[in-house]
């Protein structure tokens, strides 16, 4: 990518890693909200997540056609129906998971931080142990060492002791652990509302402004009054 010209604002993206856990609608909601907020995104899709995406949406995510596949993916609602959204993916740069020479693999690569959504227990373990077996894990390790924000949206239940210890290790290292656990006080009516709540909490942890869910205002029954 060409460096910024004099007077131009350099591109400083959020890195979004999608691991193999169930919950690709969470990733889609986060990506749409980042782009709607005018943020640039560097996307890393793990090999395992491609299988999950295929199973949950029927979409094959292909390196050579990633723009078309990403546009189709982000266009679907959480219920799987196509055409629910009209995403503009021009702000996205895609890096194959096997490219360990990619920009996000280096601490000198400018970015705002990283969001892993959804995060599988295998991904959590790899990042906590510093394995860096693929670009997703490597980028997360770099994010931690550079003291940039790392948000890990773990999506699994129940959690065993080993995974809980890995999550504590990530918290100790400075990461924000955000379980994919939707709240109901926001007045959810559709499945998209529940997905957007989790995505909104991920973005809250990263400090990115959004309007994905109704915030608590201290009034009981407020969500019902807005329906």
């Amino acid at each position: 990518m060409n460096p910024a010209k004099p007077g131009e604002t350099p591109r400083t993206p959020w890195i979004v890693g999608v691991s193999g856990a169930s919950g690709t609608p969470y990733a889609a909601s986060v990506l749409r909200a980042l782009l709607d907020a005018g943020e640039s995104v560097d996307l890393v899709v793990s090999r395992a997540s491609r299988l999950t995406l295929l199973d949950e949406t029927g979409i094959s995510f292909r390196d050579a056609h990633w723009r078309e596949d990403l546009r189709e993916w982000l266009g679907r609602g959480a219920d799987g129906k196509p055409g629910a959204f009209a995403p503009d993916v021009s702000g996205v740069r895609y890096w194959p998971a096997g490219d360990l020479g990619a920009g996000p693999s280096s601490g000198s690569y400018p970015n705002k931080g990283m969001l892993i959504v959804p995060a599988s227990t295998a991904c959590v373990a790899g990042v906590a142990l510093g394995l860096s077996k693929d670009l997703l894990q490597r980028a997360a390790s770099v994010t931690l060492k550079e003291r940039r924000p790392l948000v890990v949206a773990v999506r699994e239940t129940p959690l065993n002791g080993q995974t809980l210890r890995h999550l504590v290790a990530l918290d100790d290292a400075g990461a924000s652990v955000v379980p994919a656990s939707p709240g109901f006080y926001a007045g959810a009516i559709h499945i998209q509302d529940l997905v957007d709540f989790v995505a909104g909490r991920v973005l809250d942890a990263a400090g990115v402004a959004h309007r994905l869910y109704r915030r608590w205002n201290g009034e009981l029954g407020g969500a019902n009054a807005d329906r």
Side-chain angles (χ1 to χ4, degrees):
M1 179 173 292
N2 295 328
K5 297 178 181 178
E8 289 184 347
T9 301
R11 183 179 184 273
T12 311
W14 283 98
I15 302 169
V16 176
V18 185
S19 80
S22 176
T24 55
Y26 293 130
S29 182
V30 166
L31 287 165
R32 284 193 300 265
L34 285 171
L35 296 172
D36 287 345
E39 300 284 354
S40 298
V41 172
D42 275 21
L43 177 63
V44 182
V45 178
S46 76
R47 290 187 175 91
S49 68
R50 295 175 188 235
L51 297 177
T52 307
L53 183 63
L54 179 63
D55 182 57
E56 293 183 346
T57 69
I59 297 171
S60 296
F61 197 88
R62 303 160 294 175
D63 286 348
H65 303 280
W66 69 266
R67 285 185 182 84
E68 295 88 344
D69 296 338
L70 178 63
R71 192 176 294 109
E72 182 182 359
W73 175 23
L74 299 190
R76 291 178 181 248
D79 58 4
K81 294 180 180 178
F85 302 94
D88 178 3
V89 301
S90 60
V92 179
R93 183 174 186 181
Y94 169 71
W95 301 95
D99 185 2
L100 292 177
S105 69
S106 173
S108 67
Y109 182 75
N111 64 82
K112 294 182 178 179
M114 184 173 185
L115 317 176
I116 305 177
V117 53
S120 66
T121 55
C123 175
V124 166
V127 176
L129 297 173
L131 298 183
S132 296
K133 72 168 189 175
D134 61 10
L135 179 59
L136 194 158
Q137 291 185 11
R138 171 61 185 168
S141 295
V142 169
T143 300
L144 288 175
K145 82 178 182 68
E146 297 295 326
R147 300 295 191 267
R148 294 170 182 149
L150 174 65
V151 182
V152 179
V154 60
R155 214 304 309 163
E156 187 57 88
T157 189
L159 298 172
N160 62 29
Q162 188 175 45
T163 298
L164 290 170
R165 286 187 286 272
H166 288 152
L167 292 172
V168 170
L170 289 177
D171 179 79
D172 288 342
S176 296
V177 176
V178 180
S181 177
F184 293 84
Y185 63 81
I189 299 176
H190 305 291
I191 185 174
Q192 188 68 54
D193 299 325
L194 297 175
V195 168
D196 286 347
F197 180 91
V198 172
R201 296 301 287 154
V202 170
L203 295 173
D204 286 345
V208 177
H210 66 86
R211 299 179 65 183
L212 287 177
Y213 68 90
R214 175 191 176 277
R215 297 183 182 277
W216 174 251
N217 61 10
E219 297 180 7
L220 293 175
N224 291 326
D226 291 342
R227 288 177 177 171

